[in-house]
Amino acid sequence: MDDAGGAISVAEGPKHGEKLTASDKAVTYISNIEPSELQRCVFPESLVTVSEDGRDLGRFDVAVEFARRLEQPCVLLHAQSHGANDGSPCGTTVTAYITVDLEVLEEDHYEYVKLAGHSVEKKCHMVQHEGQMLIDKVTTVGEEVTKESASYPMSVLRGLVTEGSSLLLMRLIALRREVPEHMAFVSFDQHMRIIHTTFSELGLKQLEVGSEVLEVFGVQRIVHSVESSPSTWQCYFLDDGHLASRIQVGSPITMKLLQLPSTIEKGFEKIQLVWEEDMQMCSNFMDRKEELKADHASYLRQHPEIRALISDFLQLLLLRKPDDVLLFAKEYFLPFASCRPPEQT
């Protein structure tokens, strides 16, 4: 047990001598990505989440842009879904820094669901450090907290695809409109063990988007599992790489595009982050707010003359009630300028 009362476990690699690796085709596929292809993947998109009977349940937003992490050029991907499942608010946030050949530098993956009487949260952070991929996961169910950690040498993670990089990879696949056979990548399961993720082609079909019927290209992603049945996602894309439909096989929920990108992205509309409904973002905001308050209070304690100076100024201001407040403030604080130490030359 840790000091906070939560259980801690450390994940290990595959058991019984099993060593899962990405296929040569998968490694070759991502190593041959051209900068011009990646440039076409840099755009935001937004889908709505609907039930089988057509009820609006929430949104799914993805934004991809070029960025830098520790001065290294990379791609920043931010994906966020929020809504309700059987009346329970739920959501997922993924933020990933990815190199131009789809190597994950750092990624945060957060999930939550608010149930009656308690909530469930899963936070996973992975980062490259000194040739290792370090992974920390915290699961909170009500008051019970479980912490897990794992690390793998990057040499065994060739062809790694995470939640974040898989979204970018499928955009690239959609633009190429071709999925090589026997293309297996490595990924992590819920317990941070290495598993396989495979992609296959679903072909072309007609899909209604807004008032138009368009031809879309389908990609199937299967996330395999050590202990349970695999999870299968089917996504259909427009010819420019925009996601038109996304569904997890067996789920009654569908994510779909309601308007063509030319309408949505006119003037480059920014994704509205509903941070109040995202428990991680809200928690980060509150933590930062309290951190700033503590820092400001500490500074004021170290410099009590600040309170006296401001108090004297406000008292004189309210006593004189000048029409030009800025001029009054300038004349009030001007004598203090002569108190500054001379600048070093």
Side-chain angles (χ1 to χ4, degrees):
M1 303 292 286
D2 69 344
D3 293 338
I8 300 179
S9 62
V10 179
E12 299 178 357
K15 300 290 187 180
H16 310 301
E18 181 182 14
K19 184 179 179 180
L20 295 181
T21 59
S23 66
D24 292 337
K25 284 190 176 182
V27 174
T28 300
Y29 192 88
I30 57 177
S31 65
N32 289 337
I33 296 172
E34 297 290 337
S36 58
E37 291 181 291
L38 203 58
Q39 178 69 53
R40 295 175 62 192
C41 294
V42 178
F43 56 81
E45 62 185 354
S46 181
L47 285 75
V48 296
T49 305
V50 297
S51 62
E52 285 183 304
D53 57 5
R55 288 182 294 112
D56 189 340
L57 300 178
R59 288 170 57 95
F60 175 67
D61 299 311
V62 183
V64 177
E65 59 185 281
F66 289 117
R68 284 181 175 270
R69 180 188 173 277
L70 302 179
E71 300 306 316
Q72 179 176 355
C74 62
V75 173
L76 170 60
L77 181 142
H78 181 81
Q80 180 184 35
S81 67
H82 63 88
N85 188 5
D86 293 331
S88 299
C90 58
T92 301
T93 302
V94 178
T95 302
Y97 292 90
I98 308 165
T99 67
V100 294
D101 54 358
L102 265 62
E103 185 175 297
V104 176
L105 300 173
E106 184 175 7
E107 180 171 308
D108 284 290
H109 185 192
Y110 173 73
E111 299 178 61
Y112 76 89
V113 57
K114 297 180 182 179
L115 302 171
H118 73 284
S119 62
V120 178
E121 294 183 31
K122 295 180 181 179
K123 300 179 182 180
C124 184
H125 175 75
M126 64 179 68
V127 62
Q128 279 197 45
H129 180 69
E130 297 182 350
Q132 297 276 325
M133 181 66 81
L134 308 179
I135 313 171
D136 292 295
K137 183 176 180 181
V138 179
T139 303
T140 304
V141 181
E143 299 297 325
E144 182 179 350
V145 179
T146 302
K147 298 181 180 180
E148 302 171 275
S149 63
S151 65
Y152 294 93
M154 293 304 298
S155 58
V156 306
L157 297 179
R158 292 174 68 245
L160 172 68
V161 171
T162 63
E163 283 299 313
S165 63
S166 69
L167 294 170
L168 185 56
L169 174 59
M170 284 195 287
R171 283 189 180 185
L172 288 162
I173 291 174
L175 289 169
R176 292 183 179 183
R177 291 211 163 193
E178 181 182 6
V179 185
E181 294 183 358
H182 311 298
M183 192 167 65
F185 297 84
V186 292
S187 189
F188 299 117
D189 67 6
Q190 290 289 321
H191 298 287
M192 301 171 295
R193 294 170 297 196
I194 295 178
I195 56 173
H196 272 145
T197 294
T198 57
F199 295 84
S200 59
E201 184 176 326
L202 295 175
L204 301 173
K205 77 171 188 177
Q206 301 293 310
L207 186 70
E208 184 176 349
V209 179
S211 59
E212 299 186 41
V213 177
L214 304 173
E215 184 178 76
V216 293
F217 177 77
V219 179
Q220 179 168 273
R221 176 193 178 207
I222 301 179
V223 181
H224 299 268
S225 174
V226 176
E227 301 171 341
S228 58
S229 301
S231 299
T232 302
W233 293 87
Q234 294 181 344
C235 301
Y236 285 89
F237 296 84
L238 304 178
D239 56 9
D240 62 0
H242 280 79
L243 188 60
S245 174
R246 183 174 188 254
I247 187 172
Q248 183 176 6
V249 175
S251 170
I253 298 174
T254 301
M255 299 175 183
K256 64 180 183 179
L257 183 66
L258 293 184
Q259 292 178 289
L260 291 177
S262 57
T263 303
I264 298 172
E265 294 171 19
K266 188 175 182 180
F268 195 76
E269 178 188 1
K270 293 185 178 180
I271 292 176
Q272 298 297 318
L273 298 180
V274 188
W275 68 269
E276 298 94 335
E277 296 183 13
D278 187 310
M279 296 178 70
Q280 183 185 30
M281 293 180 70
C282 187
S283 176
N284 290 343
F285 170 79
M286 296 305 295
D287 289 345
R288 181 57 177 159
K289 180 179 178 181
E290 293 303 317
E291 179 184 330
L292 287 173
K293 286 173 63 178
D295 180 65
H296 295 165
S298 175
Y299 183 77
L300 289 174
R301 286 194 299 271
Q302 296 172 22
H303 299 276
E305 67 274 15
I306 295 175
R307 294 183 184 276
L309 182 64
I310 294 176
S311 177
D312 289 344
F313 171 71
L314 288 176
Q315 286 184 19
L316 190 59
L317 178 69
L318 295 174
L319 181 64
R320 299 282 181 84
K321 296 183 176 63
D323 293 331
D324 192 334
V325 176
L326 293 179
L327 179 60
F328 178 81
K330 177 182 177 181
E331 293 174 348
Y332 178 85
F333 287 106
L334 187 60
F336 293 97
S338 61
C339 299
R340 292 185 304 173
E343 295 183 2
Q344 299 295 324
T345 58

